[in-house]
């Protein structure tokens, strides 16, 4: 059994292994950084630490949405990096059993989800797309 | 591995022992009879052995063990320190250090040690061999061909099987076009009849054609002298061959090489001794640098909050609050100073590797050099320490290779045969100064001038009007080398421009002073810390940015109509010079704000070059804490980092070096 943080974009639910999540924050002022890709929203001051922030919506190829009460920055700690990820909502933690996780084969060229999801987990009849942080954070190894 | 939690401690402590071994071996070389130093070396090797065994690093354990055996014999007086032994011991230390690198990277100590173990067994009297050095004169090249104990051992072993050892000097025709190819054929045909033990110059050098028209090899073979000569003379373009039978004198005392070198280097060793005796046994704690960085972050956060409270103070007339805030201010300032001090490290950490380097290079080049070091206890922030090593290595190599003359030449000039290199560190205001000076041949201004003309940088007339400083500055240009030939020591296409770039990237500066036949001095000026800098805060569009003050030359106002277009590029006239305009709102992709035709220009400098950056508003000068953007954004070129302003806002720091 492992715990997963559930991040929402529209009605889709993405799961991130809780070990990779440093903290979840409400939206705070973001300082834009020039000469970066469109999914990079800028940097934030998280208690004295400068952390880059990306938009999961843009990364997934979706249209931007105004930030609201529910918008959250999920600060990921993975591959030697701290990166904040803006999602529509993140206030749930679920426990997915190892045997309920399946590998997925997406057609990467045609399916935007396939670029960042390689596994899917289920609890009863609910399905969670498990984010592949290596792909999401452009880790090249 | 279960020992994982100890690996960091192991690496750190081994590092210390290896450094210790290095400096003590240098002392021993100078003073071979010093029991105390031998004991110290023995202890370090012994401790390393124990630690490696505990951690399960077999190779390291084995090597340290073998070293310990040899050192034990030295301690017991069964073995005398000789050049050969010193060389092997130094090699062992190098290998141990290599192992440690490998352990910290891969967790394995997979470094080949068989040869070293063999060499160590060779010197050890337990295996029945007396340390011997056979030295034969090599009249062809004038340099000495030395058989080390290892090679000598081979000859002795081979003799049991009726092999004979010969020293062969081959002279190739002066007109030979492809000397290395010819040498290759000769090597091949010698390989057919026996085994080549060594060659002078080395095989690598021969392959690179780094020899005149003769070379010497040692070979073991069953063939006799005449047939070798005949065989070699049958190869085309071989003019002459000298074959000499080698007899190893088993009773010959190992040569005491040390005296000569020692006198010339004694001063440097005095320095090491001094620095060692100065080691205070103070109470201290080892702290992980990450924790210190974290502490530093928290302190800068505190300073930011303090600034915000000061802003609120104005609205609050309550005297209790006012005095509390003043108290807080005093404490945060002191706390900041204290944290900065904790991060300070003596430059000794960098300097320590130089005595060994100077020793090795002076042997290699046959020069006699004293290295004096002063101000090793001068303290600099960790961030600076980590960066200055490479530039200093380069400058010292430069001095040894190009600066200091050969003993003969120095003697003819009426200078002492041994050259001196002084390495000096001291504080000056908020900077640390590091000087590298030598008493060598100095820089030939005329030669630099000629080179500048040859390269088309200046015309012959222009060059004569230049000041000496300007001419010396030319040496920092990329690809500008006055060396007649590129040697192994310096050169390799890496020039002083790399040193200068590195130092400038640390917000420092470098200058040269030189006088012909008196010597050269490089003066490096570095800020005490890189974490905090003075910056100019500006507004571009409606965003705030910081520009480091040391890359700003001045601030001027220009009118839109003063801008000219030259080949599609915007330029402006500044003090009679045409300099490019950089529209920061374009580079930084900010909103464009109407300026009514008036431009606020920040003139930034990169070395000699200037550029004019347009900004929308000047906010003011401020001390800022630099924070990196992190690995994810590491490829953003125009931004050098970020800082947090008093109100908690993040302002990006513009990297002036990457703007043009």
């Amino acid at each position: 059994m492992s715990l997963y943080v559930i991040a929402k974009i529209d009605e889709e639910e993405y799961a991130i292994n809780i070990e990779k999540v440093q903290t979840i924050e409400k939206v705070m002022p973001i300082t834009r950084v020039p000469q970066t890709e469109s999914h990079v929203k800028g940097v934030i001051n998280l208690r004295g630490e400068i952390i880059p922030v990306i938009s999961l919506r843009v990364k997934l190829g979706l249209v931007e949405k105004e930030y609201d009460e529910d918008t959250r920055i999920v600060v990921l700690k993975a591959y030697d990096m701290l990166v904040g990820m803006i999602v529509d909502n993140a206030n749930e933690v679920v426990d997915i059993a190892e045997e309920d996780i399946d590998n997925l084969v997406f057609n990467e060229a045609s399916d935007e989800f396939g670029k960042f999801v390689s596994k899917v987990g289920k609890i009863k009849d609910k399905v969670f797309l498990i984010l592949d942080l290596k792909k999401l954070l452009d880790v090249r190894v | 591995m279960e020992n994982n939690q100890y690996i960091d401690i192991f690496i750190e402590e081994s590092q210390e022992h290896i450094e210790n071994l290095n400096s003590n071996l240098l002392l021993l070389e100078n003073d071979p009879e010093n029991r105390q130093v031998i004991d110290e070396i023995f202890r370090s090797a012994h401790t390393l052995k124990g630690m490696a065994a505990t951690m399960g690093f077999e190779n390291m354990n084995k090597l340290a063990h073998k070293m310990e055996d040899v050192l034990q014999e030295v301690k017991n007086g069964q073995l005398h320190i000789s050049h050969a032994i010193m060389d092997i011991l130094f090699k062992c230390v190098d290998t141990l250090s290599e192992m440690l690198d490998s352990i910290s990277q891969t967790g394995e100590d997979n470094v080949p040690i068989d040869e070293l173990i063999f060499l160590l067994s060779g010197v050890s009297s337990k295996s029945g061999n007396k340390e011997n050095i056979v030295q034969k004169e090599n009249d062809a090249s004038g340099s000495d061909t030395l058989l080390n104990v290892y090679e000598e051992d081979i000859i002795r072993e081979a003799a049991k099987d009726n092999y004979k050892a010969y020293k062969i000097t081959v002279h190739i025709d002066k007109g030979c076009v492809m000397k290395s190819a010819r040498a290759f054929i000769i090597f091949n045909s010698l390989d057919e009849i026996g085994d080549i033990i060594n060659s002078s110059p080395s095989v690598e050098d021969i392959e690179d054609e780094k020899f005149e028209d003769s070379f010497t090899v040692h070979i073991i073979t069953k063939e006799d002298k005449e047939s070798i000569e005949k065989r070699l003379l049958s190869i085309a373009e071989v003019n002459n061959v000298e074959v000499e039978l080698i007899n190893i004198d088993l009773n010959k005392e190992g040569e005491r090489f040390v005296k000569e070198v020692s006198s010339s280097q004694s001063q440097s060793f005095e320095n090491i001794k001094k620095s060692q005796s100065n080691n205070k046994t103070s109470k201290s704690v080892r702290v992980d640098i990450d924790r210190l960085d974290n502490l530093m972050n928290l302190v800068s956060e505190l300073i930011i909050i303090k600034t915000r409270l000061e802003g609120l103070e104005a609205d609050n007339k309550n005297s209790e609050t006012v005095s509390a805030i003043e108290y807080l201010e005093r404490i945060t300032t002191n706390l900041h100073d204290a944290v900065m001090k904790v991060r300070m490290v003596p430059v000794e950490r960098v300097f320590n590797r130089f005595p060994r380097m100077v020793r090795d290079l002076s042997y290699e080049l046959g020069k006699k050099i004293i290295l004096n070091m002063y101000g090793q206890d001068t303290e600099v922030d960790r961030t600076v320490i980590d960066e200055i090593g490479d530039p200093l290595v380069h400058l010292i190599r430069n001095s040894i290779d190009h600066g200091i003359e050969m003993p003969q030449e120095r003697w003819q000039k009426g200078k002492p045969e041994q050259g001196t290199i002084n390495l000096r560190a001291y504080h000056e205001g908020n900077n640390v100064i590091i000087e590298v000076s030598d008493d060598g041949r100095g820089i030939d201004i005329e030669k630099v001038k000629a080179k500048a003309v040859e390269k088309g940088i200046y015309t012959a007339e222009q060059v004569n009007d230049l000041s000496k400083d300007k001419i010396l500055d030319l040496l920092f240009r990329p690809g500008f080398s006055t060396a007649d030939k590129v040697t192994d020591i310096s050169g390799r296409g890496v020039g002083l421009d790399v040193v200068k770039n590195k130092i400038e990237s640390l917000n420092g500066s470098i200058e040269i002073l030189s006088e012909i036949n008196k010597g050269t001095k490089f003066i490096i000026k570095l800020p005490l810390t890189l974490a905090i800098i003075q910056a100019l805060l500006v507004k571009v569009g409606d965003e705030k940015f910081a520009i480091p003050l040391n890359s700003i030359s001045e601030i001027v106002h220009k009118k839109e109509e003063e801008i000219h277009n030259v080949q599609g590029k915007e330029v402006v006239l500044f003090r009679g010079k045409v300099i490019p305009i950089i529209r920061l709102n374009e580079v930084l992709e900010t909103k464009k704000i109407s300026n009514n035709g008036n431009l606020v220009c920040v003139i930034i400098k990169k070395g000699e070059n200037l550029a004019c950056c347009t900004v929308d508003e000047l906010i003011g000068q401020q001390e800022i804490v630099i924070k990196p953007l992190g690995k994810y954004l590491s490829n953003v070129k125009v931004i050098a980092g970020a800082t947090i302003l008093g109100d908690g806002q993040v302002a990006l720091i513009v990297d002036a070096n990457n703007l043009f």
Side-chain angles (χ1 to χ4, degrees), chain A residues 63-133:
Chain A
V63 206
E64 286 260 39
K65 185 183 151 213
E66 288 253 334
Y67 302 147
D68 57 30
E69 269 298 287
D70 290 331
T71 311
R72 290 290 179 274
I73 300 176
V74 180
V75 179
L76 306 167
K77 190 176 189 176
Y79 304 101
D80 268 353
M81 292 188 268
L82 273 179
V83 178
M85 181 176 72
I86 302 172
V87 297
D88 292 355
N89 194 340
N91 52 13
E92 200 182 340
V93 174
V94 298
D95 212 341
I96 309 178
E98 214 50 63
E99 60 267 28
D100 288 330
I101 295 177
D102 294 321
N103 283 322
L104 278 186
V105 183
F106 275 108
N107 181 350
E108 289 200 13
S110 64
D111 202 324
E112 286 296 329
F113 295 129
K115 283 184 181 163
F116 311 114
V117 178
S118 49
K119 284 178 183 161
V120 67
K122 48 185 193 292
I123 298 173
K124 291 181 189 143
D125 52 351
K126 265 187 119 175
V127 175
F128 302 97
L129 298 167
I130 299 176
L131 281 178
D132 186 334
L133 298 187

Side-chain angles (χ1 to χ4, degrees), chain B residues 13 38 90 112 157 164 176 189 279 298 453 593 647 653:
Chain B
E13 286 190 0
I38 297 172
F90 272 125
E157 286 299 320
K164 278 167 283 192
C176 177
S189 84
N279 276 349
L298 293 171
V453 175
I593 286 181
D647 56 2
I653 302 164

Side-chain angles (χ1 to χ4, degrees), chain A residues 31-32 34-35 39 45 48 79, chain B residues 301 543 588-589 627 648 650:
Chain A
T31 304
R32 195 188 52 87
Q35 302 191 3
H39 65 265
N45 162 18
Y79 304 101
Chain B
E301 192 70 352
E543 294 168 45
L588 301 174
E589 299 163 354
K627 287 158 185 273
V650 179

Side-chain angles (χ1 to χ4, degrees), chain B residues 145-328:
Chain B
T145 311
L146 213 68
L147 283 175
N148 65 29
V149 258
Y150 169 53
E151 288 156 350
E152 199 196 317
D153 216 56
I154 298 174
I155 297 176
R156 201 175 294 110
E157 286 299 320
K160 289 182 192 157
D161 296 320
N162 286 328
Y163 278 92
K164 278 167 283 192
Y166 292 100
K167 176 184 157 193
I168 305 171
T169 305
V170 184
H171 298 269
I172 303 177
D173 194 287
K174 282 196 170 37
C176 177
V177 188
M178 292 178 71
K179 288 189 294 182
S180 59
R182 194 57 58 198
F184 180 66
I185 296 171
I186 295 166
F187 271 61
N188 264 356
S189 84
L190 286 174
D191 259 336
E192 280 168 25
I193 56 166
D195 286 323
I196 296 171
I197 308 170
N198 73 7
S199 77
S200 161
S202 68
V203 180
E204 288 86 351
D205 283 352
I206 292 176
E207 275 170 5
D208 291 338
E209 292 214 344
K210 284 182 191 156
F211 67 109
E212 290 299 326
D213 42 39
S214 67
F215 57 86
T216 306
V217 295
H218 286 93
I219 176 175
I220 47 170
T221 173
K222 281 186 174 168
E223 302 263 357
D224 58 27
K225 196 176 158 181
E226 281 73 21
S227 70
I228 298 173
E229 280 176 356
K230 218 173 120 194
R231 202 179 175 96
L232 291 176
L233 284 171
S234 71
I235 299 170
E237 292 185 285
V238 171
N239 271 358
N240 190 14
V241 177
E242 294 157 31
V243 181
E244 199 184 312
L245 187 71
I246 297 173
N247 290 309
I248 291 180
D249 183 2
L250 285 168
N251 299 318
K252 194 181 163 198
E253 252 291 297
E255 199 167 325
R256 301 285 175 81
F257 78 101
V258 262
K259 283 292 169 245
E260 189 199 348
V261 189
S262 61
S263 64
S264 81
Q265 298 208 335
S266 55
Q267 255 182 286
S268 349
F269 295 108
E270 282 305 315
N271 264 320
I272 304 176
K273 266 190 213 159
K274 239 185 277 162
S275 76
Q276 280 183 342
S277 59
N278 280 349
N279 276 349
K280 287 171 280 179
T281 46
S282 58
K283 288 178 194 160
S284 59
V285 194
R286 229 189 267 275
V287 188
D288 186 13
I289 188 74
D290 287 344
R291 293 191 188 174
L292 277 186
D293 283 344
N294 189 26
L295 189 58
M296 183 77 172
N297 264 332
L298 293 171
V299 170
S300 30
E301 192 70 352
L302 196 60
I303 291 173
I304 289 159
I305 289 283
K306 181 209 75 186
T307 319
R308 195 186 322 182
L309 280 176
E310 278 168 353
L312 295 176
E313 188 188 9
D315 313 330
N316 199 327
K317 297 284 177 272
N318 185 336
S319 68
E320 278 288 300
T321 322
V322 172
S323 74
I325 289 175
E326 273 169 8
Y327 189 28
L328 175 71

Side-chain angles (χ1 to χ4, degrees), chain B residues 588-600:
Chain B
L588 301 174
E589 299 163 354
T590 62
K591 243 201 285 183
K592 204 174 162 149
I593 286 181
S594 148
N595 53 29
N596 300 324
N598 291 315
L599 296 173
V600 183

Side-chain angles (χ1 to χ4, degrees), chain B residues 34-45:
Chain B
N34 191 331
R35 309 252 356 142
Q36 223 182 325
V37 177
I38 297 172
D39 285 348
E40 191 60 40
I41 296 172
F42 181 81
R43 257 198 303 279
S44 280

